[in-house]
Amino acid sequence: MPNSENKTNNFNEQLSNYYQQFRVYADRILALSNDSLEKTVNVALALCLVCAVLVSIATVALRPLQAHNKALDMKKNILDVAGLLDEGTDIDQAFKERIEAKLVDITTGEYVDGNVDEYDQRKAAKDPAQNEVIPPEKDIASIRTKAKVAKVFLVKNGDKLQSIILPINGYGLWSTMYGFLALEADGQTVQSINLYDQGETPGLGGEVVNPNWRALWKGKKVYGDSGEVALTLVKGTVDNSRPDAATKVDGLAGATLTSRGVSNLILYWMGPEGFAPYLNKIKANG
Ligand SMILES: Cc1cc2nc3c(=O)[nH]c(=O)nc-3n(C[C@H](O)[C@H](O)[C@H](O)COP(=O)(O)O)c2cc1C
């Protein structure tokens, strides 16, 4: 008999022995009185084992589905800030047709090669091999580290660049807020903001997700006349008669600290340590 067949037979025999022993043991336990401690402990242990196996199988089996849903959710956030999300929009289709993801070296503002689909900027920001520690005096957005490479999204209309979607993050009162800022192709005019992941208080700082507040951003300008980042939130309502009204957005009522966090993250990410080099290149290239 070949060696491998011999091994298989031995294994099957051993398995059968184990099963017989298990049956004898199980029969003995099941025959015990329901009040016995030994039966109670054994039934509880068996139940735990079965549940653990089921949870493990569910975790492993659902992992690809979770990853797909996470990616879909991110595409939805991007289409939302791009103004391309309507009820019934086919997310994958719309994303494929209109959005192009690109990797950008934040320091130089140049596009870099890499696997753009696989790249996770949030993970990279926490990985010492891929991140950069921000010196405290420059850390306006209170994020401590940033990825060296950013993943930006270009919204295309045919061959024409319609808008640029930039990832942004910064600390509010309770949480680091993550989002996207969409700028028109001029690299100056805001199309929309979407702080899709934040842990501020619902009804106070959490109003960053309120569509009415988000709508106030449309058409605002990021940079002032001398090229400095001028876009900030003001306490209360913007006085539209002010000459700088185009760079001011209403602060969130009762949430001064979250509002300050939003101003700070704009100041950081639109500034020289953030996307200013990239946006300058876009502007220079027309
Ligand atoms: C339970 C609780 C939750 C709060 N959540 C926030 C918040 O999410 N963002 C924020 O800026 N302020 C929040 N505040 C208020 C701040 O503590 C602080 O009073 C406020 O930012 C001052 O803003 P105001 O000058 O607009 O009132 C919260 C306060 C309390 C008591």
Side-chain angles (χ1 to χ4, degrees), residues 104 118 131 157 177 202 209:
V104 174
E118 294 289 313
N131 73 9
N157 201 350
M177 299 177 280
V209 298

Side-chain angles (χ1 to χ4, degrees), residues 172-174 199-202 204-206 235 252-260:
L173 172 62
W174 310 115
E200 303 299 287
T201 314
L204 293 171
K235 206 169 159 74
L252 296 158
T256 301
L257 299 173
T258 304
S259 302
R260 195 173 298 152

